[in-house]
Amino acid sequence: MSSAQAAMPETAAALFEAKTVVARDTALSTLEAAASTDPASAYAAGAGEFFTALELLASGLHRHGFESPRSFMLPLMRLPVPENPNPEPLTYEQFRAILVAFRNRLEKSAATLGSVPANADIGIVIDLTQVGIDLNEDGTIAPDESIAAIMASLSRGVAPDDAAPALTFRFDRADGYWLQGYAEFLMAQADFWLAHDFRSTFDGSFHMLFPRAKLPLQDILVPPAGDMGSSIFSSEWRIADFISLVHLVNWPVVEPERRQAARRHLLEMIRLSREDWKAIRAETDNDREWLPGPQQKGENPLTGLEVGEQQVAAWLATLTMAEDLLEGRVLLPHFRITGKGINMKRFFDEPKPFDLVLSITGPAIAPYLESGTILTSDDFDQIQSEFGGGGFLTFALWFN
């Protein structure tokens, strides 16, 4: 491959090893100023912007006493935010503002990473135990706030306690596509929420997430501290509030362009994943790979998995399947409807109020039903079988 040489700038090391928010932000500003002329600076700046997007979300949640439900059903709500004994009150408008700030920083990160030339020779070595975000708004980046510790928390479902073992990778051009794709994925989630008015859900159930933030039903429904349990299904009151949350997901559309944008973000994520694998397969080295190709042998220290040709081929087939669904070329099946499927392109592009329960039971998806080619369980099972003991979900979270 031809390449535009881009040595790792010293400021990038300062960014990824900073122990205070001030030092981190100073280094990030320097990299952003150099991004237009230096590919490595743009690459590092885009990564820094991604991490600070997570920090904006985490700090906003912490400020109002967020307690993570640690549930895969609420993916944006799984950050291991430390306990805040003196939370500030939270309003619906403030919560939307937190999501907007998070989403807009992700958009900035995606644009910066997208400015890196496809043939740039990138090689930035990062120890994930050294780079982190300020989860508790104290201005410092502690060992238990490192990306390695946060990832360990997300995988174990418990809050980080001790520093994680060393986890060092050399991030190259392919990994930039990977991170940019994850920014698009998270923007899709944020835009879907923001497309709707979810005030009734907030007022009626969000005290399960912010039990001391003066939400409307706090005084009636939140039990004394110590009686709440740590997960959605760990106590009767949390189960009750989760049922309320599901029941109250009947959201009018207030910003239809955001629901349309969510589909575009997902399509861009698919495009970037293809670019990622194109770049990975062209690599001839095997140097601390974040996401190795089949030619880069050895178990990955993060996942303990080795990537083979069958997994890559199956993943590329998965991308085609997802793209066909989002473009309406293939229809999504519904368990109680035969002969017709859901046109997901129209679901996003012709938004109607989103009712979760009625979508599951059928009435809410009736406007999007069409005749045509319907995805079958056999289509997916054939792909899933190629991922072996590691399981499709593990590879999917890693591959993006």
Side-chain angles (χ1 to χ4, degrees):
M1 295 176 64
S2 62
S3 64
Q5 292 297 322
M8 177 175 173
E10 292 183 8
T11 314
L15 169 71
F16 296 124
E17 296 173 5
K19 301 306 177 189
T20 68
V21 171
V22 170
R24 190 271 318 281
D25 288 351
T26 299
L28 179 56
S29 296
T30 302
L31 289 165
E32 288 173 334
S36 62
T37 57
D38 177 31
S41 292
Y43 187 99
E49 289 160 355
F50 183 92
F51 294 142
T52 54
L54 296 178
E55 186 176 273
L56 282 171
L57 177 62
S59 61
L61 299 178
H62 175 266
R63 192 174 308 123
H64 302 287
F66 173 74
E67 296 190 6
S68 173
R70 312 203 187 287
S71 169
F72 73 93
M73 290 173 285
L74 295 170
L76 278 183
M77 303 285 103
R78 294 192 62 203
L79 282 172
V81 177
E83 180 181 352
N84 182 353
N86 298 299
E88 297 179 11
L90 177 64
T91 66
Y92 171 70
E93 290 76 15
Q94 287 173 317
F95 185 77
R96 283 188 70 95
I98 291 170
L99 288 182
V100 168
F102 169 63
R103 181 248 178 245
N104 289 349
R105 184 63 64 89
L106 287 171
E107 184 175 44
K108 184 177 183 180
S109 169
T112 303
L113 289 167
S115 72
V116 179
N119 64 346
D121 183 17
I122 303 294
I124 295 183
V125 178
I126 301 176
D127 180 351
L128 297 184
T129 66
Q130 298 300 312
V131 59
I133 58 177
D134 181 13
L135 292 172
N136 61 3
E137 301 181 279
D138 67 352
T140 64
I141 301 171
D144 63 355
E145 296 174 310
S146 72
I147 298 302
I150 292 170
M151 291 169 60
S153 170
L154 292 175
S155 65
R156 296 196 308 265
V158 297
D161 43 19
D162 300 318
L167 203 58
T168 301
F169 295 92
R170 180 182 180 273
F171 290 87
D172 52 33
R173 182 63 191 93
D175 301 317
Y177 294 124
W178 180 92
L179 190 61
Q180 187 181 349
Y182 254 109
E184 296 286 347
F185 174 66
L186 294 174
M187 274 194 284
Q189 294 187 53
D191 270 335
F192 189 85
W193 277 70
L194 292 166
H196 304 90
D197 178 355
F198 55 91
R199 184 186 294 272
S200 61
T201 308
F202 180 89
D203 288 345
S205 66
F206 265 41
H207 48 269
M208 70 180 287
L209 305 175
F210 302 93
R212 311 298 175 195
K214 306 299 182 186
L215 270 67
L217 296 178
Q218 174 180 319
D219 293 340
I220 300 172
L221 296 180
V222 175
D227 295 341
M228 294 186 292
S230 60
S231 70
I232 283 179
F233 302 113
S234 62
S235 70
E236 291 179 353
W237 86 273
R238 282 196 178 275
I239 293 173
D241 281 332
F242 181 71
I243 294 172
S244 295
L245 185 150
V246 171
H247 175 72
L248 290 168
V249 178
N250 180 4
W251 300 343
V253 177
V254 291
E255 297 185 51
E257 66 280 1
R258 286 193 184 274
R259 190 147 137 186
Q260 295 159 2
R263 186 181 77 95
R264 294 195 298 272
H265 293 314
L266 294 174
L267 287 170
E268 179 66 0
M269 177 191 71
I270 291 169
R271 185 191 72 81
L272 289 163
S273 188
R274 289 187 176 123
E275 289 295 321
D276 184 16
W277 283 103
K278 178 181 176 182
I280 290 171
R281 284 175 147 176
E283 292 175 2
T284 57
D285 66 329
N286 188 11
D287 185 3
R288 294 163 287 183
E289 302 295 334
W290 171 256
L291 184 53
Q295 78 280 15
Q296 295 162 319
K297 302 299 183 182
E299 290 186 356
N300 183 271
L302 176 68
T303 64
L305 300 172
E306 189 167 356
V307 177
E309 284 289 350
Q310 70 273 20
Q311 284 95 17
V312 176
W315 180 249
L316 294 176
T318 302
L319 296 178
T320 297
M321 180 186 296
E323 184 180 58
D324 286 343
L325 285 169
L326 289 168
E327 293 288 17
R329 294 189 289 260
V330 173
L331 306 175
L332 187 69
H334 191 281
F335 74 94
R336 64 180 300 185
I337 298 168
T338 58
K340 292 187 176 182
I342 306 165
N343 186 319
M344 293 305 297
K345 182 177 188 296
R346 292 181 52 224
F347 172 81
F348 286 103
D349 285 357
E350 303 170 20
K352 301 181 186 302
F354 176 62
D355 189 306
L356 178 59
V357 172
L358 294 185
S359 293
I360 295 171
T361 59
I365 54 89
Y368 305 112
L369 292 174
E370 294 181 1
S371 299
T373 303
I374 302 172
L375 183 70
T376 69
S377 58
D378 290 342
D379 295 329
F380 183 70
D381 289 345
Q382 185 176 356
I383 290 174
Q384 192 174 25
S385 66
E386 298 297 332
F387 290 92
F392 174 79
L393 182 59
T394 300
F395 276 98
L397 290 172
W398 186 25
F399 282 10
N400 182 30

